[in-house]
Amino acid sequence: MERQQGIVYQMDLFQPQEQEQENVRPSHHREIVSGSEARKELQVERAGEQERALAYELMQVILSPDNISRAYKQVKQNKGVAGVDQMPVEKFAEWYVQEGEHLIGQLQAGSYQPQGVKLAEIPKPNGGMRKLGIPTVTDRIIQQAIAQVLSPIYEREFSEHSYGFRPNRNAHQALEKASEYVAEGRSIVVDLDLKTFFDVVNHDRLMHRLSTRIGDKPLLKLIRKYLQSGILIDGVMSQRTEGTPQGSPLSPLLSNIVLDELDKELESRGHKFVRYADDCNIFVRSQAAGERVIQSVSGFIENKLKLIVNKDKSKVCLSDQTKFLGYTINESGYL
């Protein structure tokens, strides 16, 4: 086995192991250190009213051996098929023995180029097909490693009204909260449907949102590369200019970052609402109030967030005349 910059390139890299740490660190701060050391050194500085994580510290944590190890284990647990390079997840550890040092070096230098994603379609519960982009196993692991570090940073600011793809939050909690609102007399629901949300997210707006919290320019550059990863369709690679690659480990976090802006707007207006990913229900006391809300909020979503509200599927109605997360909600609860 070979020891290089704190990483042991061997088959059991993805098992917990103790390693000696160097006492002297290069001044460029880009070497890989242990995850525990890097986390201790993760610093936050005040920039006006916002916190920005220092750039070099984030990359240290993302590329630390224990964070990569955790990412690998999570991707392996999720299973999934191989990407465009045809490498299954079971072969990654063996591949990493030969290529791990080169991969980490590219990521450190900012020269890494993600591979394209493979398009797959799965049936939606209510009909139609949902398009998924399947990254390679290597890119899934890198994205998972990024998500593991960024999630705690954003969790501190995400709304209490948001339940999708967040630690210790789930769909049943969202349904319970929605049921509470209905039981309080807010039996009219503004059911907002965002048209092909993952396909139309504006890259520039998303990257600006990320840059207000994250000061790590190489990391931001890497995330933009992932957003723009090409899609392989019938043997032809097409470039992506908008949207997030649904099916990747990073897309749930990115979608919550985009829609947190909607959450904050609804909070500032005093609305009672529940959001799970791109499913958002606002609970009001009358049909007239609901009609005003759907017009006003739809305008905010389309004009400010640059997303598209599906007018055909969005509606104002009694809570038991629509479904939220597959359930019907009435004064007695959800079923």
Side-chain angles (χ1 to χ4, degrees), residues 268-286:
S268 72
R269 298 184 184 190
H271 289 308
K272 305 295 184 181
F273 70 98
V274 177
R275 183 177 66 79
Y276 190 97
D278 57 339
D279 290 329
C280 184
N281 279 5
I282 305 170
F283 297 87
V284 297
R285 297 185 184 275
S286 71

Side-chain angles (χ1 to χ4, degrees), residues 32-71:
I32 307 302
V33 297
S34 73
S36 59
E37 179 185 345
R39 279 193 297 273
K40 287 177 185 177
E41 293 179 352
L42 183 61
Q43 301 176 41
V44 176
E45 65 177 354
R46 278 287 178 183
E49 292 300 316
Q50 296 179 321
E51 295 175 343
R52 303 180 75 220
L54 293 179
Y56 60 83
E57 299 290 359
L58 277 185
M59 289 304 293
Q60 283 181 309
V61 181
I62 289 168
L63 298 179
S64 64
D66 72 326
N67 191 55
I68 295 292
S69 173
R70 287 198 302 125

Side-chain angles (χ1 to χ4, degrees), residues 8-31:
V8 177
Y9 294 96
Q10 58 181 25
M11 289 292 289
D12 61 352
L13 166 66
F14 306 107
Q15 300 297 325
Q17 54 186 303
E18 302 250 341
Q19 298 186 46
E20 245 181 68
Q21 298 300 319
E22 301 293 339
N23 293 324
V24 180
R25 298 168 54 199
S27 59
H28 54 66
H29 293 285
R30 283 194 175 183
E31 83 285 7

Side-chain angles (χ1 to χ4, degrees), residues 35-235:
S36 59
E37 179 185 345
R39 279 193 297 273
K40 287 177 185 177
E41 293 179 352
L42 183 61
Q43 301 176 41
V44 176
E45 65 177 354
R46 278 287 178 183
E49 292 300 316
Q50 296 179 321
E51 295 175 343
R52 303 180 75 220
L54 293 179
Y56 60 83
E57 299 290 359
L58 277 185
M59 289 304 293
Q60 283 181 309
V61 181
I62 289 168
L63 298 179
S64 64
D66 72 326
N67 191 55
I68 295 292
S69 173
R70 287 198 302 125
Y72 167 75
K73 290 172 184 175
Q74 185 60 55
V75 170
K76 189 175 182 180
Q77 180 179 320
N78 293 343
K79 299 180 181 179
V81 300
V84 295
D85 64 353
Q86 298 300 312
M87 181 173 70
V89 67
E90 294 80 11
K91 294 291 185 182
F92 179 80
E94 182 179 351
W95 174 87
Y96 198 82
V97 174
Q98 303 298 323
E99 302 295 336
E101 181 179 359
H102 179 62
L103 172 65
I104 296 297
Q106 285 186 312
L107 288 165
Q108 287 178 312
S111 60
Y112 178 75
Q113 186 62 47
Q115 298 187 64
V117 299
K118 183 166 64 176
L119 182 67
E121 294 186 331
I122 61 172
K124 293 181 180 180
N126 57 350
M129 302 296 289
R130 185 186 305 278
K131 293 182 179 180
L132 296 179
I134 303 173
T136 64
V137 170
T138 301
D139 284 323
R140 294 208 294 271
I141 290 170
I142 296 170
Q143 289 189 46
Q144 179 65 31
I146 294 171
Q148 288 169 179
V149 172
L150 294 190
S151 290
I153 294 173
Y154 282 95
E155 272 299 311
R156 294 178 297 180
E157 66 179 40
F158 280 159
S159 169
E160 287 296 312
H161 300 273
S162 163
Y163 292 86
F165 308 115
R166 295 181 58 190
N168 304 315
R169 286 176 165 257
N170 55 50
H172 287 293
Q173 291 171 337
L175 289 163
E176 290 285 355
K177 178 54 70 173
S179 300
E180 287 180 22
Y181 291 144
V182 173
E184 292 171 0
R186 300 176 184 275
S187 57
I188 302 295
V189 60
V190 178
D191 186 357
L192 290 168
D193 185 273
L194 299 183
K195 189 174 182 180
T196 55
F197 170 77
F198 286 93
D199 294 335
V200 299
V201 171
N202 184 280
H203 288 174
D204 290 336
R205 287 202 87 256
L206 174 53
M207 293 309 303
H208 174 71
R209 291 280 293 173
L210 288 169
S211 69
T212 64
R213 177 67 64 186
I214 304 302
D216 187 332
K217 291 183 180 179
L219 175 57
L220 292 172
K221 182 179 177 182
L222 178 60
I223 292 174
R224 183 178 277 277
K225 286 180 180 179
Y226 276 122
L227 288 174
Q228 297 176 336
S229 294
I231 303 177
L232 184 66
I233 305 175
D234 296 329

